[in-house]
Amino acid sequence: MIVAETKPLDEIKALLSDAEKVLVVGCGTCVTVCFAGGSREVAIMGSLLRMAGRMDGHERQVEEVTVQRQCEWEYLDAIAEQVGAVDVVLSLGCGIGVQALAEHFPNAWVVPGLNTKFMGLPLEQGVWAERCAGCGDCLLGLTGGVCPIARCSKQLLNGPCGGSIDGHCEINPEVSCAWQLIYDRLTEKGKLEVLMEIQPPRDWRTARHGGPRTIVREDLRLPEDHQAGQSMKQEA
Amino acid sequence: MNISANGYLSGSNLERVLRAGHFAATGELGPPQSADGSTIREKAQLLKGACDAANITDNQTAIVRMSSVSAGAIALQEGLEPVIQVTCRDRNRLAIQSDILGAYAQGIRNILALSGDHQTFGNHPMAKNVHDIDSIQLVQMIAEMRDKKIFQCGDPFKGQEPCMFVGAAAAPFAHPIDFRPYRLGKKVNAGANFIQTQLIYDIEAFKKYMEKVRALGLHEKTYILAGVGPLKSPAMARYMRESVPGMLIPDEIMNRMTAAGAPWSGKGELTKEDKKARSGAWRETGIKICVELIQQLREIEGVSGVHIMAIEWEEAVRPIAEGAGLLPRPVVEPAAA
Ligand code: SF4
Ligand code: SF4
């Protein structure tokens, strides 16, 4: 899932500046699961902003709503009226949710209430860890299911570096050394010979380095007249 | 790369000394955190003649310093042969290749390829790092620029290719320790002509490592220079033992360092002179230990030389080399190949 964290309240207040009417929009998917932007956090944010408004002598009208999935336009139509009635939309979705709102409602001013951190998983209650950097050319099949792009501090393909000690990375004893994990996995599975091969330099174009990425699946696309109809609907 | 073939790969002094079968000695020179070239000239004079070549560090410990290529060019003017360190932290494959072209054009003939310490250790922890390629891929890239006359992308050179003597680092005691000889093997297969190890203080542990290295036949495919360095004080030794990954310092050495300062312990508040004398005693012992380590390392089959690291204490290199019987450094004429 996508893991995010709430921005500091002062930063959010600055983003809202002198808005009189604010709509806080939550999302029922990833950020609900990581307790950053679900209906519960939307309610808390709403109360905080109302309270802060009273204390700062700048009372605001704060509305709250949570959509099932902020990153898909079709879920946003239902809140069009509420969005149209406010000065600022404060999204508690991930960065994709914020942009989906801004793209879908070009007349609205949308600001982020969260810092989107990474794609990861909960390790235990209250602890999340990064697992994938979306490099576009997954090599987990070589590394026993441990990602060196997201989890090695130097993104080494031929690790471990000389900083690996007692299972942790040189940068911090709290961070596991991805290459120690890879080594252990491959040893366990009797596949250590994979590590003896030199992995060549990567083609980073599959990652962000080739510019922003788009996927086009011709097999799934609708006939052209339908497409035109759809995009008109989105811009409406 | 077949290093027994006739003709030199780079013709560097370091390569010639090693090829002639001499026990090699390299030093280390840290460029300044300033644009002042005179400190390099001074340090180069301290190292010149005391070693066959000196590593010029590349933003060591992720602290911004004068570039290793520029500092290396200055060292060369002073008559000290540089080994340019290149990390993968600060530059991508385009920048590294262009630096290598420039370095070769300036007369630089040795490179040491490194991953680089993470930037969180240095003075710009907020910086973005690169790691486009890793140290093993870097070794391969430099070797192929020389041997296949191609850029990393595969395009052929249009003119002179850079012929570098390519080195890599080894951390024999980092984890997972069983994999370390194999990782060295990967570096050798990638094309590392010489290897400089992390500082060695634990001779017994290093002997075990070298046994495995020999079993893999790596000592016959590359020149292994064991890393040594003089300890300055018991506090430095303790810090290194506790905080530097893969640094093994036996109790015996710790105790010798502590004993060197014994005459001043229990004396209460030390005067400035006392402190100076104590520091002198520590350093003298540090140099003595270093000399003994070199003598022991020299006896280990497969060790072709030593890499003497005395960063910010370049004065120590000459007495160490002297004490270990490594002076004068051999002169191997290019024509002798
Ligand atoms: S290799 Fe790439 S796609 Fe696979 S987990 Fe790592 S970052 Fe994600
Ligand atoms: S210690 Fe491990 S995780 Fe950290 S940079 Fe080195 S190989 Fe990567």
Side-chain angles (χ1 to χ4, degrees):
Chain A
M1 68 166 116
I2 291 179
V3 183
E5 257 182 345
T6 317
K7 278 184 180 290
L9 190 61
D10 281 341
E11 189 184 340
I12 292 176
K13 284 198 302 190
L15 284 169
L16 297 178
S17 87
D18 51 9
E20 302 281 341
K21 292 185 195 160
V22 176
L23 177 66
V24 184
V25 185
C27 172
T29 310
C30 302
V31 292
T32 291
V33 187
C34 69
F35 303 97
S39 55
R40 192 174 141 263
E41 290 75 29
V42 166
I44 295 170
M45 180 59 70
S47 311
L48 278 174
L49 290 176
R50 281 185 287 268
M51 211 189 316
R54 277 197 293 278
M55 287 170 67
D56 303 345
H58 181 112
E59 286 213 35
R60 289 192 178 97
Q61 189 187 326
V62 183
E63 304 292 333
E64 299 159 8
V65 65
T66 298
V67 295
Q68 190 180 339
R69 211 178 298 154
Q70 217 179 94
C71 61
E72 283 191 57
W73 285 319
E74 59 177 289
Y75 293 95
L76 301 181
D77 289 329
I79 61 166
E81 213 165 293
Q82 283 162 286
V83 168
V86 297
D87 306 317
V88 176
V89 176
L90 175 66
S91 163
L92 294 195
C94 69
I96 308 161
V98 179
Q99 295 182 64
L101 281 167
E103 278 176 75
H104 200 57
F105 302 115
N107 293 329
W109 184 245
V110 186
V111 298
L114 302 185
N115 287 322
T116 303
K117 295 291 193 173
F118 49 75
M119 289 187 267
L121 51 75
L123 290 179
E124 54 181 89
Q125 178 80 19
V127 180
W128 291 267
E130 183 166 15
R131 285 293 180 267
C132 173
C135 78
D137 185 11
C138 194
L139 48 75
L140 289 174
L142 282 174
T143 56
V146 179
C147 174
I149 310 291
R151 299 177 70 185
C152 164
S153 303
K154 300 177 189 168
Q155 307 190 352
L156 303 180
L157 294 183
N158 295 284
C161 76
S164 176
I165 204 76
D166 298 331
H168 59 74
C169 171
E170 69 175 26
I171 65 157
N172 183 336
E174 306 296 308
V175 176
S176 297
C177 169
W179 278 98
Q180 176 76 56
L181 296 172
I182 293 169
Y183 178 82
D184 293 345
R185 278 292 281 170
L186 295 179
T187 307
E188 238 168 65
K189 298 281 172 217
K191 290 187 192 284
L192 213 48
E193 73 282 352
V194 180
L195 286 198
M196 305 302 170
E197 274 169 40
I198 297 174
Q199 291 305 321
R202 291 213 106 190
D203 180 343
W204 293 107
R205 281 175 296 193
T206 62
R208 261 283 297 135
H209 310 275
R213 295 166 283 176
T214 317
I215 293 175
V216 180
R217 284 273 305 271
E218 292 299 346
D219 57 329
L220 296 177
R221 299 188 87 181
L222 298 174
E224 243 173 69
D225 45 335
H226 270 263
Q227 285 172 31
Q230 270 219 330
S231 69
M232 265 166 64
K233 193 173 137 212
Q234 278 155 11
E235 266 147 42
Chain B
M1 187 85 267
N2 181 1
I3 55 177
S4 64
N6 237 355
Y8 292 115
L9 299 171
S10 72
S12 73
N13 184 53
L14 179 61
E15 180 185 6
R16 297 199 309 269
V17 166
L18 284 165
R19 284 280 298 280
H22 297 292
F23 190 75
T26 49
E28 198 153 299
L29 188 160
Q33 295 181 55
S34 76
D36 180 7
S38 65
T39 57
I40 297 164
R41 296 186 195 280
E42 284 156 22
K43 287 180 177 184
Q45 288 309 321
L46 292 171
L47 293 168
K48 187 178 163 181
C51 54
D52 303 311
N55 289 30
I56 315 287
T57 54
D58 177 12
N59 287 340
Q60 193 176 25
T61 61
I63 289 172
V64 177
R65 291 167 183 279
M66 189 187 294
S67 86
S68 61
V69 174
S70 304
I74 297 175
L76 207 54
Q77 290 165 10
E78 293 298 306
L80 174 69
E81 180 171 287
V83 177
I84 297 303
Q85 296 196 353
V86 177
T87 75
C88 301
R89 178 193 57 228
D90 307 331
R91 288 185 291 275
N92 70 5
R93 63 190 92 178
L94 278 86
I96 295 174
Q97 290 180 96
S98 85
D99 274 357
I100 291 171
L101 299 184
Y104 186 82
Q106 304 245 43
I108 290 162
R109 295 292 180 268
N110 308 299
I111 296 193
L112 184 77
L114 302 166
S115 318
D117 296 324
H118 197 265
Q119 75 277 6
T120 49
F121 292 107
N123 61 353
H124 290 74
M126 69 300 278
K128 187 175 179 187
N129 61 21
V130 182
H131 299 296
D132 173 25
I133 52 177
D134 66 25
S135 61
I136 288 177
Q137 295 160 349
L138 175 57
V139 167
Q140 197 162 44
M141 181 176 89
I142 305 169
E144 290 185 351
M145 286 172 92
R146 179 193 65 207
D147 300 336
K148 296 188 179 168
K149 305 182 193 351
I150 52 170
F151 289 102
Q152 194 279 324
C153 63
D155 285 355
F157 276 108
K158 295 223 165 62
Q160 173 67 50
E161 73 279 10
C163 296
M164 294 289 187
F165 195 45
V166 194
F173 313 130
H175 294 164
I177 201 157
D178 290 340
F179 187 61
R180 291 296 156 180
Y182 296 102
R183 186 146 196 275
L184 177 65
K186 283 181 85 169
K187 291 192 171 183
V188 173
N189 288 340
N193 307 124
F194 71 97
I195 298 292
Q196 290 171 322
T197 77
Q198 168 73 290
L199 288 166
I200 307 296
Y201 292 98
D202 192 329
I203 296 287
E204 290 315 309
F206 187 63
K207 278 184 181 161
K208 287 194 195 119
Y209 171 79
M210 283 304 296
E211 251 170 52
K212 293 184 194 148
V213 167
R214 286 196 304 271
L216 295 172
L218 300 176
H219 63 307
E220 283 159 353
K221 297 184 188 155
T222 194
Y223 297 107
I224 298 170
L225 277 58
V228 292
L231 293 165
K232 279 183 187 164
S233 65
M236 172 191 177
R238 256 194 315 278
Y239 169 78
M240 284 174 31
R241 180 150 102 161
E242 281 157 22
S243 310
V244 180
M247 184 72 68
L248 304 181
I249 307 184
D251 290 339
E252 191 245 348
I253 289 181
M254 301 296 289
N255 295 341
R256 278 178 72 185
M257 286 305 291
T258 311
W264 292 271
S265 69
K267 274 187 82 177
E269 186 81 2
L270 294 186
T271 64
K272 227 177 162 185
E273 285 70 39
D274 279 338
K275 281 189 186 161
K276 213 175 150 198
R278 183 179 64 178
S279 167
W282 279 335
R283 287 175 178 232
E284 200 181 302
T285 303
I287 289 181
K288 203 154 164 262
I289 292 170
C290 191
V291 166
E292 293 169 18
L293 288 169
I294 295 176
Q295 284 158 342
Q296 289 169 291
L297 289 165
R298 201 172 178 163
E299 298 304 315
I300 301 173
E301 192 192 338
V303 175
S304 299
V306 280
H307 176 49
I308 307 168
M309 286 172 265
I311 282 274
E312 299 310 322
W313 190 16
E314 283 82 1
E315 296 88 338
V317 174
R318 197 175 302 270
I320 290 169
E322 180 101 70
L326 299 176
L327 298 186
R329 295 309 305 149
V331 179
V332 183
E333 294 304 333

